[in-house]
Amino acid sequence: MSARGIHAGEHARDAEDLDVEEVLALVNEGSADSGDPAVPPPSASPSHASQGTARKPDTDQHKATPWPEARAIAGRAARTGSRRAPVSVTLDSALGLVLAAPLVALSDLPSFDTSAMDGWAVAGPGPWAVREDGVLAGHAQSEPLSDGEAVRIATGARVPADATAVIRSEHGRTDGKGRLHAARDVGHGQDIRPRGQECRSGDHLLPGGTLVTPAVLGLAAAAGYDTLTVVPRPRVEVLILGDELLTEGLPRDGLIRDALGPMLPSWLRALGAEVTAVRRLRDDAKTLHKAITGSSADLIVTTGGTASGPVDHVHPTLRGMGAELLVDGVKVRPGHPMLLARIRDDQHLVGLPGNPLAAISGLLTLAEPLLRTLSAHPAPEPYELPLQDAVHGHPYDTRLIPAVLRGDSAVPLHYNGPAMLRGIAAADALAVVPPGGTRQGQQAELIDLPWAVAGIGVCFT
């Protein structure tokens, strides 16, 4: 039987990835990759090594980069290029970006003594004669208070000069003569926020490298900022390759709907990128060459065409341009034929496989670390959870399996083949399954999906 025949008959789910020897290795280990995460991982046996059916990961026949190493290379790739110049943006455009300079207070905060409560500002010991006027927030400073005098005051209003305390509305009462009595002891300075309580002008509030969250925006506004100096979003251009893709309607006549065109731009924005263009190209080498050489984006993302078929033009095009291949294939399933190339010091290309889940695997393996570095975002802290079900593993490649998080464990999902989106659409994370698989209850690393992370990760704009 030919390689393609074994490929289709035994492992249709990994049709873009497996060859004869890999398929035989899986078959000899006693499990077909059915897509069911409950299939127990294979156990090593002495006879397996003696049969010699599986290639060793370090032989000349398998030169793909191990998955952890590929991610590390992608994270370091942009550091060899020129630094990206900071930009100044308005506060409403800064969410999700990273401060390129420390946030320094432009004024005292608060900038004057303010009332922390609705009530009365008083001077000296009581009871107090209450003035007829009141003090509201946003108004100019009122007349100073004399000892034994009080005035109605609102939260946030400027405290009159010589006031010694604020009595909350619920802690005071007035008698028939209009005199104020305190229902409890009054401490000097109580419920007054003194000028500079939070910071003084010139204080360093946050260091450069801080992620701009909604709270950071609030602090910046309170400290007097209208704009912030930030690391700009990486500019990404997406090239969707393929003659077989439809942009609307039902599949027909050998044509299929393009799932990546609608999906990748939003995903890239969630990873902090500015998507400058999404272009659909036919399978033509000259068209691809023109699109890549004509792009000014920091990162070009292509879909499909990364293997060695008759219309797979990505490799030959990059070679013809003199691009430097940093990663050419990754030991991960799905998504093995992904690549990372440096076109110029300040421009990179990530080639994703054409199958949807394989493309997501490539996006999170190569594009996410690169974009994180370009954006100056900190790397997320790795974490592990036990898997509720056993997951079958590849003999020597990492597998990325969609999973949902349930309390203190993760549930692997079905429909996890390279061309499938049904599993990832319901997932919170990808479980990182090492070569050989995982047992039920075994700890596995989880990669959160952007929309499943509370806070800034849900920003898609």
Side-chain angles (χ1 to χ4, degrees):
M1 179 180 291
S2 68
R4 186 175 300 274
I6 293 179
H7 202 129
E10 299 292 341
H11 292 277
R13 288 182 57 254
D14 283 333
E16 66 167 354
D17 291 327
L18 297 181
D19 61 17
V20 177
E21 293 186 3
E22 289 171 311
V23 170
L24 289 175
L26 292 174
V27 172
N28 287 339
E29 287 182 330
S31 175
D33 192 2
S34 65
D36 186 344
V39 175
S43 57
S45 65
S47 60
H48 173 70
S50 64
Q51 289 170 353
T53 55
R55 293 176 298 169
K56 303 304 181 189
D58 56 351
T59 63
D60 291 338
Q61 294 174 300
H62 193 75
K63 295 182 179 180
T65 305
W67 181 77
E69 183 181 339
R71 297 193 83 206
I73 291 171
R76 295 192 303 266
R79 296 194 179 105
T80 63
S82 58
R83 290 184 175 273
R84 305 174 69 232
V87 295
S88 179
V89 300
T90 58
L91 296 186
D92 60 1
S93 300
L95 184 66
L97 301 179
V98 169
L99 295 178
L103 189 72
V104 178
L106 302 180
S107 68
D108 296 344
L109 192 60
S111 55
F112 47 79
D113 294 350
T114 61
S115 176
M117 294 289 171
D118 292 333
W120 296 268
V122 300
W128 301 269
V130 181
R131 293 196 325 213
E132 292 185 1
D133 60 335
V135 184
L136 299 176
H139 287 220
Q141 188 170 16
S142 62
E143 291 295 320
L145 291 176
S146 302
D147 279 356
E149 198 173 28
V151 65
R152 269 282 185 184
I153 194 167
T155 301
R158 189 166 187 162
V159 174
D162 299 327
T164 54
V166 168
I167 298 175
R168 303 182 186 190
S169 297
E170 61 269 27
H171 295 163
R173 62 176 180 82
T174 55
D175 58 23
K177 297 181 180 180
R179 296 176 65 82
L180 172 67
H181 299 264
R184 58 182 64 186
D185 291 341
V186 179
H188 187 85
Q190 81 175 26
D191 288 328
I192 293 177
R193 294 187 62 214
R195 176 176 181 169
Q197 181 185 49
E198 187 168 0
C199 66
R200 290 290 186 180
S201 179
D203 284 354
H204 281 227
L205 304 178
L206 294 169
T210 299
L211 181 68
V212 179
T213 64
V216 170
L217 291 175
L219 176 61
Y225 284 83
D226 299 317
T227 62
L228 291 174
T229 301
V230 295
V231 178
R233 298 183 191 277
R235 295 169 298 117
V236 178
E237 184 169 352
V238 180
L239 304 180
I240 307 294
L241 312 181
D243 294 341
E244 75 280 14
L245 302 177
L246 292 170
T247 58
E248 61 183 9
L250 296 175
R252 64 180 184 275
D253 302 327
L255 304 176
I256 60 173
R257 278 297 297 270
D258 169 29
L260 297 181
M263 177 174 66
L264 289 181
S266 294
W267 208 310
L268 287 162
R269 292 186 189 104
L271 294 176
E274 174 192 352
V275 179
T276 59
V278 179
R279 302 173 59 191
R280 290 175 169 82
L281 307 181
R282 296 186 62 83
D283 288 320
D284 178 76
K286 291 183 179 179
T287 302
L288 178 61
H289 182 272
K290 182 178 179 180
I292 294 175
T293 55
S295 175
S296 61
D298 301 303
L299 173 63
I300 301 167
V301 174
T302 64
T303 67
T306 56
S308 55
V311 293
D312 291 334
H313 301 300
V314 175
H315 278 94
T317 300
L318 292 174
R319 283 195 300 269
M321 295 171 54
E324 179 186 1
L325 271 180
L326 304 177
V327 175
D328 188 8
V330 178
K331 296 179 183 179
V332 66
R333 310 295 165 135
H336 173 269
M338 63 180 76
L339 64 86
L340 169 63
R342 180 179 293 122
I343 299 172
R344 301 191 303 262
D345 279 349
D346 59 352
Q347 187 180 58
H348 294 78
L349 181 143
V350 168
L352 304 178
N355 277 329
L357 188 57
I360 291 172
S361 172
L363 194 71
L364 295 181
T365 299
L366 298 178
E368 186 275 334
L370 177 62
L371 290 172
R372 185 179 353 109
T373 300
L374 289 171
S375 306
H377 281 197
E381 288 293 328
Y383 74 100
E384 295 182 345
L385 288 176
L387 300 183
Q388 285 194 12
D389 300 307
V391 180
H392 175 77
H394 189 275
Y396 47 75
D397 287 2
T398 300
R399 288 188 70 195
L400 301 180
I401 301 293
V404 292
L405 307 184
R406 293 292 181 265
D408 58 356
S409 64
V411 183
L413 295 176
H414 300 258
Y415 304 105
N416 50 45
M420 298 181 180
L421 287 173
R422 187 170 171 181
I424 194 71
D428 302 314
L430 286 175
V432 180
V433 178
T438 56
R439 303 179 305 275
Q440 183 179 17
Q442 183 175 341
Q443 296 275 336
E445 180 184 350
L446 276 299
I447 301 174
D448 287 321
L449 303 182
W451 51 86
V453 182
I456 200 63
V458 301
C459 177
F460 282 83
T461 58

